[in-house]
Amino acid sequence: MIARVLAVAAAEIHIARRNLWVLMATVIMTLFALALTFAGAAPTGALGVDLLTVSVASMTTLSVYLAPLLALMMSFDAIAGESERGGLALLLTYPVSRGEILFGKFLAHIGTIALAMVVGFGAAGIAAALSGGAGTESILALLRLIGTSILLGAVFLALGYALSAAVSSPTAAAGLAAGLWLVFVVLYDLGLLGAVVYDNDGFFTRNVFPWLLVLNPADAFRLWNVSASENVALANGMTGVAGALPAWSAPTSLIVWPLAAFLLARQVFRRVQP
Amino acid sequence: MTEHKNPSETGDALIVDGLCKRHGRVQTLENVSLALKPGERMALLGHNGAGKTTLMKLILGLWSPSAGQISVAGAVPGSSEARRASAYLPEAVAFHRALTGREQLTLFARLAGAPVKSVDGLLERVGVADAADRRIGTWSKGMRQRLGLAQVLLGKPRIALLDEPTSGLDPISRHDLYAIIDEMAQHGTAVLIASHALTEVEARTDRIAIMRKGRVVADDTLARLSARAELPIRLKLTAQNDDASEVHARLGGKRINGASVELLCSPENKMERLAHIAALGDLVVDVEMAPPSLEDLYRHYSGEDRT
Ligand SMILES: Nc1ncnc2c1ncn2[C@@H]1O[C@H](COP(=O)(O)OP(=O)(O)OP(=O)(O)O)[C@@H](O)[C@H]1O
Ligand SMILES: [Mg+2]
């Protein structure tokens, strides 16, 4: 089983490398992370924290947008594309299960995302530490940011596979992927915000809203990074919500999501008749 | 790794029994039954949309049947034993454009559990070794078809399903392809070839099955199919001095041009007819005799409304 998963992963890495995905993802992450770090150099003094902390706070916001985007762009074509080309039928006549195919692709894609996160955030982190100083806490926050960004990427890779298996054409899959990104990253928060304003600090805002927030992997990602580090929360302005939830809630959400999404993708993929 | 089993103790490479498939309200396969022995080469003929590709997808376990049974070397289609025992060349092979031929074949070898070392030899054998390290996106259609054939040869399958394998191949490549098919058959692989190239399969297969609107309307050796069809033999006579009127007046038949007459006669009457012709003496300078071709047979079996 491992051998087959690795065989699929190896081929998928060749493809990602040759399609310049690896290079593009890494360059994009690095450029944005460096830009944010130096743009964030100004407010350091006001908050009384080191530059790396501020940098991590702004990179957290960046990652909420970019990690799902990169993941969906890599995964939406994974099944619909092969199905349209006709390669999927041939692949499925080999003694390899659909779960193994999916997991092999996942390994290659998550590896690409991990490389981009480590290099991008790592470079920005080193730059911030050198120019503005860093402490144990801010280095830990940076490592947490890298780890949780990879988890967030994993969620959207798996969701991308699920929608790629659900539709038959790559074009439809691309459209759905854009919609999915919009809903999870933008619309969900907007909707909740509207409800909070309407509720005017009532029962909903204090007891339901934080849980609804943590149910969304993108918000769970934000909350985890914020609640784990007071300084990052301070720099991010999210202390209120983070305090209303138990510490385990955001990590649980962000760890359960990739698993659940992967199982969903496998289930949908199993129903595909190439 | 493939294990070597004695074909005689494992029986038929493929058994299809009472297979039906509906796509929504359309019945695409109706009560299809077939059997293939190890080493047997069977041609699967039929009009566009007859159900050839559908039958193959069901045998491979890619689609599930509405009714009926299939046994692939004794295993259920889609099971890992069945997948290990079968090989498939799809109608329009499409590989990932960004992979090189070697990378693509290596992936298949590793999935099939065949030694990765065999990849080089196979690329050589199908004649794409020179292009092995170039992206498949830059390959010609025929080269991709050859790569498709190379993956069929991985892991010594018990049954190979080839869907229009010669489409896009040049004449020499077609010849090579049939040589490879013959070699597979000699090693005990049963081969099912869906094709529209009648003259090719006529010479290179052991048995012929003809499908029509989702049913198998004929399934036998070429010799027995022609005997059963009782199609007439075609006799073409060339007349003396390029003047066919006299011959036509005496024997009947159909004038083709000024100089020739075509006669049709049943196999039993052949000798009698030839005697008549011989009796005309010098009037006839040449006789050509053409037994019914596979195309005639194909028209006979697929054109008529028989079930
Ligand atoms: N996914 C599908 N949904 C609905 N109908 C289908 C589907 N696949 C095939 N069919 C129908 O099944 C019938 C048989 O198609 P099939 O592809 O098996 O034909 P074929 O014999 O391979 O034809 P060709 O010689 O053109 O390749 C056709 O009428 C086709 O429209
Ligand atoms: Mg077909």
Side-chain angles (χ1 to χ4, degrees), chain A residues 4-127:
Chain A
R4 292 189 293 268
V5 169
L6 292 182
V8 175
E12 217 48 56
I13 286 174
H14 288 307
I15 293 170
R17 210 163 35 89
R18 233 163 261 142
N19 285 349
L20 300 182
W21 262 118
V22 178
L23 185 71
M24 259 164 41
T26 310
V27 168
I28 289 175
M29 286 313 297
T30 310
L31 285 182
F32 272 100
L34 282 175
L36 277 181
T37 296
F38 289 109
T44 321
L47 290 167
V49 291
D50 56 32
L51 178 60
L52 183 56
T53 304
V54 180
S55 157
V56 167
S58 41
M59 288 193 292
T60 303
T61 309
L62 169 75
S63 199
V64 169
Y65 293 98
L66 270 190
L69 191 68
L70 285 177
L72 285 170
M73 283 170 80
M74 267 190 263
S75 60
F76 82 87
D77 194 47
I79 294 157
E82 295 226 23
S83 170
E84 196 190 53
R85 279 192 300 275
L88 189 61
L90 180 57
L91 188 60
L92 290 176
T93 65
Y94 277 84
V96 55
S97 77
R98 300 190 183 204
E100 287 164 356
I101 294 176
L102 218 49
F103 194 56
K105 285 176 183 279
F106 177 78
L107 283 186
H109 291 157
I110 200 67
T112 305
I113 288 185
L115 182 75
M117 298 298 171
V118 169
V119 172
F121 292 148
I126 290 171

Side-chain angles (χ1 to χ4, degrees), chain A residues 273, chain B residues 23-24 26-29 46-55 63 91 163-164 194 196 211:
Chain A
Q273 300 215 340
Chain B
H23 277 114
V26 199
Q27 185 92 30
T28 44
L29 285 187
H47 59 86
N48 291 129
K52 305 178 293 294
T53 302
T54 306
L55 176 60
W63 293 353
E91 198 163 12
D163 203 346
E164 300 185 24
H196 296 295
M211 291 188 72

